């Protein structure tokens, strides 16, 4: 687990710096900064609109009387996608935009559900409740 997190926090920023330098060398530093600002602004707008859409889906699911598990996973990926878009860089922008497109986000949700199901079947999934209410 440590190696995975270490790789995530080391490799992704290195790739982002490399891409920023390479693309900045091709299109210029000012254009690169403008692109980063535009993608951050567009990402904030898309995150807000998709977030409200997912929130309505969660409300509809609970109003119909079922647990909104699928909708909550969509909400998680909208949140992750929003954070990725606010992080300067081209790789994180591509990942963030992909998480904000509902049809592509469905792929992420399917993968997450598969991983959760696998962990439950293997007995590696535990749930704990840290509240006093029952």
């Amino acid at each position: 687990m440590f190696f995975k997190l270490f790789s995530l926090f080391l490799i992704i920023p290195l790739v982002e710096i490399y891409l920023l330098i390479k693309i900045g060398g091709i299109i210029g530093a000012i254009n690169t900064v403008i692109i980063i600002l535009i993608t951050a602004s567009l990402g904030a707008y898309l995150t807000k609109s998709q977030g409200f859409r997912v929130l309505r889906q969660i409300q509809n699911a609970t109003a119909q009387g079922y647990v909104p598990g699928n909708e909550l996973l969509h909400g998680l990926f909208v949140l992750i996608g929003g954070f990725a878009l606010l992080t300067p860089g081209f790789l994180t922008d591509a990942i963030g935009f992909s998480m904000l497109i509902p049809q592509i986000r469905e792929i992420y949700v399917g993968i997450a559900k598969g991983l959760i199901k696998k962990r439950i079947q293997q007995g590696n999934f535990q749930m704990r409740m840290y509240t006093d209410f029952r």
Side-chain angles (χ1 to χ4, degrees):
M1 183 65 172
F2 173 76
F3 182 72
K4 289 179 184 179
L5 285 175
F6 179 74
S7 297
L8 180 73
F9 287 110
L10 179 67
I11 293 173
I12 290 177
L14 289 175
V15 170
E16 290 290 9
I17 291 169
Y18 175 79
L19 289 173
L20 287 170
I21 291 170
K22 279 293 189 184
I23 293 171
I26 295 170
I27 65 173
I30 298 296
N31 290 335
T32 304
V33 171
I34 290 171
I35 289 172
I36 289 171
L37 292 174
I38 289 172
T39 57
S41 300
L42 183 60
Y45 171 76
L46 285 173
T47 301
K48 180 180 175 184
S49 66
Q50 288 297 308
F52 281 128
R53 180 177 179 212
V54 169
L55 184 60
R56 281 192 306 275
Q57 291 173 344
I58 291 170
Q59 290 170 339
N60 289 340
T62 54
Q64 293 175 4
Y66 69 90
V67 177
N70 209 35
E71 293 82 1
L72 289 172
L73 283 174
H74 276 274
L76 173 67
F77 285 110
V78 167
L79 182 67
I80 294 170
F83 281 131
L85 282 166
L86 291 176
T87 304
F90 293 104
L91 176 65
T92 53
D93 285 350
I95 293 168
F97 278 122
S98 71
M99 288 185 180
L100 294 180
I101 300 170
Q103 295 81 5
I104 298 174
R105 188 172 60 239
E106 192 66 47
I107 296 169
Y108 289 110
V109 169
I111 292 169
K113 288 184 341 187
L115 290 172
I116 292 169
K117 185 177 181 179
K118 181 180 173 185
R119 290 191 67 170
I120 289 172
Q121 289 173 343
Q122 292 175 344
N124 296 333
F125 194 80
Q126 297 178 3
M127 293 185 66
R128 295 187 179 116
M129 191 170 200
Y130 295 104
T131 63
D132 291 332
F133 73 92
R134 298 177 202 272

